[in-house]
Amino acid sequence: MYQTSAPTRATTTTPAASDQATTPEWSNRRATEQATRAAMARQVSGRRRFVDPTTCERDYSQAEMEFMLAMNAYKQQSGRMFPTWSEVLEVLRGLGYEKPSLDDDVE
C-alpha cells in the first residue's frame, strides 16, 4: 500500500505570524497602525475636519462659510458623507439661492 505523509511545518506563535493569519494579504500593517492612531487622536480631540486641509490657509467669505456649514449640517443630519449634486442644490435653495431668470439680466 502506498502512503504519503504530508510535510510538517513548524508553527510559531510570534505576534507577526498570528497577525498574518488574520490579516488579509493586501493590507499594509504600518499604514493600518498609523491610520488607527490618527483616528484615535481625532476621536480623543473631539474635532473633525470638514474643510479640505489643502485650502485651510484661505480666508473664506461669509457666504462660503455659510455654505460649508450648511453642507456639513446636511451631511450630519442625513448621514451621507458624499451628497449627490441634487442634494447640494437642495442645500443651496434652502439657503435662499436661486437661479436668476433671463428677464432679470436684461435691463
Side-chain angles (χ1 to χ4, degrees):
M1 211 190 242
Y2 182 72
Q3 288 184 342
T4 60
S5 61
T8 59
R9 281 196 273 171
T11 59
T12 60
T13 58
T14 61
S18 64
D19 286 347
Q20 289 176 355
T22 59
T23 306
E25 279 181 26
W26 50 265
S27 72
N28 180 333
R29 194 170 118 206
R30 180 182 288 161
T32 301
E33 289 170 355
Q34 185 178 8
T36 302
R37 282 193 306 273
M40 294 295 280
R42 271 193 307 274
Q43 188 176 24
V44 168
S45 73
R47 184 178 72 93
R48 287 194 63 166
R49 280 188 245 159
F50 65 92
V51 177
D52 182 4
T54 59
T55 60
C56 285
E57 298 290 325
R58 185 167 173 249
D59 290 327
Y60 294 105
S61 70
Q62 181 75 24
E64 289 170 326
M65 284 302 297
E66 182 183 23
F67 174 68
M68 287 190 292
L69 292 172
M71 285 304 302
N72 194 41
Y74 178 83
K75 289 191 282 185
Q76 288 179 352
Q77 177 186 357
S78 68
R80 296 175 54 94
M81 281 299 294
F82 305 103
T84 64
W85 286 113
S86 297
E87 292 167 329
V88 172
L89 286 172
E90 181 181 322
V91 170
L92 282 170
R93 287 186 186 119
L95 290 173
Y97 288 91
E98 56 184 47
K99 184 176 178 179
S101 65
L102 292 175
D103 295 338
D104 292 344
D105 291 339
V106 181
E107 289 186 18

